[in-house]
Amino acid sequence: MAALIAENFRFLSLFFKSKDVMIFNGLVALGTVGSEELFSVVAFHCPCSPARNYIYGLAAIGVPALALFLIGVIWNNHTWNLVAECHKRGTKNFSAAATFLLFGSIMGRASVAPITWSVISLLRGEAYICALSEFVKPSSLDKFPADYGAEVLAKFPCRDVPANLTKFRDEVTRRLRYESQLFGWLLIGIVAVLIFLTKCLKHCCSPLSYRQEAYWAQYRSNEDKLFRRTAEVHSRILAAKNVKHFFGFVALDKEEKELVQEFPVEGVQPSPQWNAITGVYIYRENKGFPLYSRLHKWAKGVEGNGPTPEGHELLFLAS
């Protein structure tokens, strides 16, 4: 029994490690749903005034979505790798397909939260009803009093209407909520189809086998973890060395003393080395051997970034 439980936990661990992007996107979506619900309950209050309703309703959907999109772009490592690539080497070494793939990766990941926000807003319907209630044609409502116009229709979302218009308010609200939810479901369907087609295109165009792609993903994850951990230790030891040089001593705890004694640091890496391992990386091979990252490429002593007779570029971006 214990062995079975351990095996199940091992399987779950490997599953979640292999699906880290999916899980991250799911957490982003759930966080966005919670934020939208909180915003609707606490912050959303339709002004119920002609001309203001439309602006406020669209802003309630569009502005948070735009902010979430920009945050997603900022948090994406590919964004800053692209900035570093353009700053240090330019984009002359990238083909049109590679550039499209890179921007598609950045935009796709950054779109998870804003699309979720927009879908939930449309399914709830409050912002849509607020924005478009004043544009409902009175002639489309059976026996709607001719004395009332857009000013009264704009007040329908706030329920601040005369008693004789209650049934019309319910009809308008029901009609607009139907339209809003229809657009929300259509948006979900369109996004689902796009994700499916993108996944199919990615696997069809991938130069790697399934096992090699899985190995590459594991390598990138391990390299990143080890690099961050080593960089943290290296910077701590270097800082301790410089502080000791300034004061004549350095106050270290037991763990830090062990690190200083175990890993002597003589200096820092020169800027050309940092530049060589920083930037966008697309899968390449050199003389038939794979190069899984810029660090791997630097360690093997492979020069250049573009295609060469010995190393050809395979247009497949690290996800």
Side-chain angles (χ1 to χ4, degrees):
M1 179 62 69
L4 179 61
I5 295 175
E7 187 66 26
N8 289 334
F9 273 113
R10 189 178 299 111
F11 170 77
L12 291 175
S13 175
L14 292 174
F15 174 82
F16 283 117
K17 286 181 179 179
S18 65
K19 305 296 182 182
D20 55 346
V21 175
M22 182 195 308
I23 294 172
F24 176 78
N25 290 340
L27 292 176
V28 170
L30 289 176
T32 305
V33 171
S35 300
E36 203 282 336
E37 290 289 336
L38 181 63
F39 174 82
S40 298
V41 173
V42 177
F44 184 81
H45 299 287
C46 185
C48 293
S49 175
R52 296 180 181 177
N53 281 15
Y54 183 71
I55 297 174
Y56 185 79
L58 292 183
I61 299 176
V63 173
L66 176 61
L68 291 171
F69 176 77
L70 294 178
I71 292 174
V73 172
I74 293 172
W75 278 358
N76 195 326
N77 290 333
H78 285 326
T79 302
W80 306 115
N81 285 333
L82 178 61
V83 171
E85 187 73 24
C86 294
H87 179 66
K88 297 297 182 182
R89 288 173 285 268
T91 57
K92 60 181 181 297
N93 294 318
F94 287 124
S95 63
T99 304
F100 175 79
L101 190 63
L102 176 61
F103 276 101
S105 174
I106 295 174
M107 297 298 121
R109 292 190 183 184
S111 299
V112 173
I115 289 177
T116 304
W117 179 278
S118 301
V119 166
I120 298 302
S121 297
L122 290 172
L123 292 180
R124 288 182 60 89
E126 280 84 353
Y128 188 90
I129 294 172
C130 177
L132 297 181
S133 62
E134 62 182 288
F135 297 103
V136 175
K137 294 182 179 180
S139 59
S140 65
L141 302 173
D142 186 31
K143 297 181 180 180
F144 187 81
D147 299 336
Y148 301 106
E151 293 185 358
V152 174
L153 290 171
K155 296 181 180 180
F156 278 8
C158 297
R159 303 178 181 272
D160 185 17
V161 295
N164 62 326
L165 298 181
T166 301
K167 66 175 183 178
F168 298 108
R169 174 181 57 78
D170 294 339
E171 181 180 351
V172 169
T173 301
R174 184 167 51 251
R175 182 188 302 180
L176 293 178
R177 180 169 282 109
Y178 154 76
E179 294 177 0
S180 179
Q181 293 182 347
L182 177 62
F183 289 139
W185 291 120
L186 288 176
L187 182 58
I188 292 176
I190 292 172
V191 171
V193 171
L194 289 177
I195 292 175
F196 172 75
L197 294 178
T198 301
K199 284 290 184 181
C200 292
L201 182 63
K202 175 183 176 182
H203 287 288
C204 289
C205 297
S206 172
L208 307 179
S209 66
Y210 171 77
R211 292 188 179 277
Q212 189 178 9
E213 186 177 341
Y215 177 85
W216 186 24
Q218 291 175 346
Y219 173 84
R220 291 196 313 270
S221 176
N222 290 326
E223 182 190 82
D224 182 66
K225 291 177 183 177
L226 291 173
F227 188 91
R228 291 177 182 273
R229 191 186 309 163
T230 305
E232 195 277 332
V233 173
H234 185 281
S235 61
R236 186 186 303 182
I237 296 174
L238 181 63
K241 181 178 178 180
N242 293 333
V243 171
K244 182 178 180 179
H245 183 74
F246 183 83
F247 287 106
F249 73 96
V250 58
L252 300 175
D253 57 28
K254 182 179 179 181
E255 180 184 356
E256 290 170 337
K257 288 179 181 179
E258 293 175 353
L259 289 176
V260 171
Q261 293 175 359
E262 184 177 359
F263 305 110
V265 174
E266 300 298 332
V268 296
Q269 286 65 35
S271 294
Q273 289 187 9
W274 286 102
N275 295 336
I277 67 171
T278 303
V280 177
Y281 185 75
I282 297 176
Y283 178 81
R284 291 180 174 87
E285 292 182 358
N286 182 261
K287 298 180 180 180
F289 291 93
L291 299 173
Y292 290 122
S293 69
R294 284 198 170 276
L295 182 60
H296 188 191
K297 180 180 175 182
W298 172 84
K300 289 296 184 181
V302 179
E303 300 293 337
N305 192 43
T308 63
E310 296 80 14
H312 61 278
E313 175 182 342
L314 298 177
L315 301 180
F316 191 58
L317 181 69
S319 58

